[in-house]
């Protein structure tokens, strides 16, 4: 079985709706996944913009320790009990919507769901996307992504 993720809010490669834009709605999208491999004990989610003019991209959302029996998150959350949302590059935990600089062109927002081989990653809300990514590197069984696009034409 193939590990996949989809959303009721947008399709892979499509423009993100206003609800997922920082200045317009700032609401996390609906995500639903299936086909996790055997041995999955929890899930994690990240949203990353590789096109941000920072030299290192921009973390818009990190969530870990989602119980293995959860396979869907509603638009706007909340995340399941026990899950940990990390600090975005906006400076606080939770979801931070698309916010590319005006005139910078289209940016990709890659939402990735990770099938994790342990129930609890050692992360806290103050941790950055890099720390979440470091921990996920050692415990990922599989991952599935969906990409939304957004451009601020200013």
């Amino acid at each position: 079985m193939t590990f996949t993720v989809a959303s009721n809010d947008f399709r892979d490669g499509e423009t993100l709706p206003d609800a997922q834009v920082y200045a317009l709605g700032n609401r996390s999208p609906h995500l639903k996944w299936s086909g996790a491999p055997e041995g999955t004990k929890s899930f994690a989610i990240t949203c990353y913009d590789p096109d941000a003019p920072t030299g290192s991209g921009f973390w818009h959302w990190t969530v870990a320790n989602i119980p293995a029996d959860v396979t869907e998150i509603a638009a706007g959350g909340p995340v399941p009990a026990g899950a940990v949302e990390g600090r975005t590059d906006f400076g606080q935990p939770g979801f931070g919507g698309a916010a590319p600089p005006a005139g910078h062109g289209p940016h990709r927002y890659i939402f990735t769901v990770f099938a994790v081989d342990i129930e609890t990653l050692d992360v806290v809300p103050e941790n950055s996307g890099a720390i979440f990514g470091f921990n996920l590197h050692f415990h990922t069984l599989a991952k599935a992504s969906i990409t939304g696009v957004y451009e601020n034409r200013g």
Side-chain angles (χ1 to χ4, degrees):
M1 190 170 205
T2 303
F3 190 37
T4 61
V5 62
S7 176
N8 290 340
D9 294 316
F10 67 99
R11 290 196 172 113
D12 191 44
E14 287 185 348
T15 298
L16 289 174
D18 288 350
Q20 279 74 59
V21 177
Y22 188 80
L24 301 175
N26 203 37
R27 187 176 75 166
S28 60
H30 163 265
L31 294 174
K32 183 174 183 170
W33 52 94
S34 62
E38 188 174 327
T40 298
K41 295 184 179 172
S42 68
F43 295 100
I45 300 170
T46 63
C47 176
Y48 177 72
D49 172 5
D51 304 310
T54 64
S56 61
F58 199 95
W59 292 98
H60 287 263
W61 199 24
T62 55
V63 186
N65 305 338
I66 299 169
D69 62 348
V70 174
T71 58
E72 185 171 16
I73 296 204
V79 297
V84 175
E85 289 184 287
R87 178 175 47 85
T88 69
D89 284 340
F90 288 109
Q92 68 276 341
F95 178 76
H104 194 257
H107 283 220
R108 294 167 290 159
Y109 296 87
I110 305 168
F111 292 85
T112 303
V113 177
F114 297 80
V116 181
D117 68 358
I118 58 176
E119 289 181 12
T120 306
L121 288 175
D122 187 20
V123 293
V124 296
E126 296 78 22
N127 289 149
S128 67
I131 298 296
F132 271 69
F134 177 80
N135 281 274
L136 284 166
H137 176 78
F138 296 101
H139 294 286
T140 297
L141 296 171
K143 58 185 176 178
S145 297
I146 183 172
T147 302
V149 179
Y150 185 76
E151 180 176 4
N152 180 356
R153 296 177 192 264

